[in-house]
Amino acid sequence: MLSEPALVIVDAANVVGSVPDGWWRDRCGAAVRLRDSLVPFAVDGLAVHPGPAELVLVVEGAARGVASIPGVRVEPAPGSGDDRIVELVADAMSHTPSRICVVVTADRELRQRVEAYGARCVGPRTVRPLPPSRTG
């Protein structure tokens, strides 16, 4: 029997906010760009866990209208994005405790909360490298 693919939950607000590229001018557009950039990870997985992976992007606030696409399920948080991420991790681990669950965030408090359920955490650069610096 094949094991389930790793569950990778991405904290959209935290990952988008990790690069000062003007995201604050269009939060929904920034979430769409992040969502689209995650598609290859559904097949390839992350460096910490090869693919395939089930990708879930948790959005909140102005980004709640972002739709799912093949390879990336978008979960709009009715309130706090962090609370929704913890709910998703808790639910996944209660149904399949052996499943690998990775949360992409730099939020220390969220990391502690999801690690208590057995999730592994990685930083935003895992899925969103810094853009090349401009010199000139």
Side-chain angles (χ1 to χ4, degrees), residues 2 29 55 72 97 103 115 124:
L2 294 174
L55 264 290
V72 181
V103 175
E115 286 171 348

Side-chain angles (χ1 to χ4, degrees), residues 21-36:
D21 60 0
W23 58 264
W24 52 89
R25 290 187 293 269
D26 181 10
R27 293 171 193 262
C28 188
V32 166
R33 288 187 298 278
L34 174 60
R35 178 205 60 196
D36 294 351

Side-chain angles (χ1 to χ4, degrees), residues 99-110:
R99 187 173 191 190
I100 294 170
C101 183
V102 179
V103 175
V104 182
T105 188
D107 182 315
R108 288 186 184 136
E109 181 182 333
L110 177 58

Side-chain angles (χ1 to χ4, degrees), residues 34-122:
L34 174 60
R35 178 205 60 196
D36 294 351
S37 74
L38 294 174
V39 172
F41 294 105
V43 174
D44 300 334
L46 305 173
V48 297
H49 193 281
E54 178 186 351
L55 264 290
V56 179
L57 179 66
V58 176
V59 296
E60 59 186 290
R64 280 194 196 108
V66 174
S68 296
I69 59 173
V72 181
R73 184 176 96 224
V74 177
E75 278 284 330
S80 159
D82 290 1
D83 290 347
R84 184 66 185 130
I85 291 167
V86 173
E87 290 169 1
L88 291 169
V89 170
D91 185 59
M93 300 311 280
S94 71
H95 287 89
T96 313
S98 62
R99 187 173 191 190
I100 294 170
C101 183
V102 179
V103 175
V104 182
T105 188
D107 182 315
R108 288 186 184 136
E109 181 182 333
L110 177 58
R111 283 174 172 251
Q112 290 176 339
R113 292 173 67 193
V114 297
E115 286 171 348
Y117 287 99
R120 178 175 184 182
C121 295
V122 296

